[in-house]
Amino acid sequence: MANTALIQVRIDEDIKRKTDAIFADLGLDTPTAIRIFLNQSIRREGMPLEVAKPQPNAETLAAMLEGIERFPKRYKNFSEILSEIDEELAAEEFKV
C-alpha cells in the first residue's frame, strides 16, 4: 500500500452538507472528490478550475456605467459623493 498522509480541513457545515449532496449525486463521496481535485491539480500543474475575481453581472455593470456618467469627476472618498447627492436632493426639494 502507498504511503498516505492525512489532510484535515475545517469547513462551514452548510458548505459540507451541500457539497456532500452534490458529490453523492455524482456517485462520489467528499474524500474521493477531494482526491480527484488534487490529482487534477497535479496533471495540470496548477488549479484545475478558474480562480478569478467575480465579474459584475449586466445589472451591476449598467449601474456602474450610470455612476460614471452621472459623476464623471473624481472624488476623494465616498462621503464626498454622498454630500453632493444630498445637496442635489435638497436643491430639488426647493424647485417644487
Side-chain angles (χ1 to χ4, degrees):
M1 182 174 173
N3 289 337
T4 61
L6 176 66
I7 297 177
Q8 291 182 325
V9 179
R10 293 227 175 259
I11 189 84
D12 181 274
E13 285 183 34
D14 190 47
I15 292 172
K16 182 174 182 333
R17 181 182 51 76
K18 288 176 180 176
T19 55
D20 283 346
I22 291 168
F23 299 144
D25 197 37
L26 296 170
L28 304 169
D29 59 9
T30 299
T32 301
I34 292 169
R35 280 192 290 279
I36 291 170
F37 173 85
L38 296 175
N39 280 304
Q40 285 296 313
S41 296
I42 293 167
R43 287 185 71 199
R44 294 177 186 223
E45 295 187 1
M47 296 290 283
L49 48 94
E50 182 180 354
V51 178
K53 295 189 303 185
Q55 298 298 312
N57 62 26
E59 182 180 357
T60 302
L61 187 56
M64 291 166 67
L65 293 173
E66 179 183 333
I68 290 169
E69 289 172 6
R70 183 170 180 199
F71 301 104
K73 70 177 187 175
R74 299 267 182 192
Y75 294 89
K76 293 178 188 171
N77 55 46
F78 191 65
S79 296
E80 191 176 339
I81 296 171
L82 293 177
S83 294
E84 187 170 310
I85 291 171
D86 287 341
E87 290 172 11
E88 288 178 13
L89 290 174
E92 286 180 21
E93 288 179 19
F94 292 109
K95 290 180 182 178
V96 176

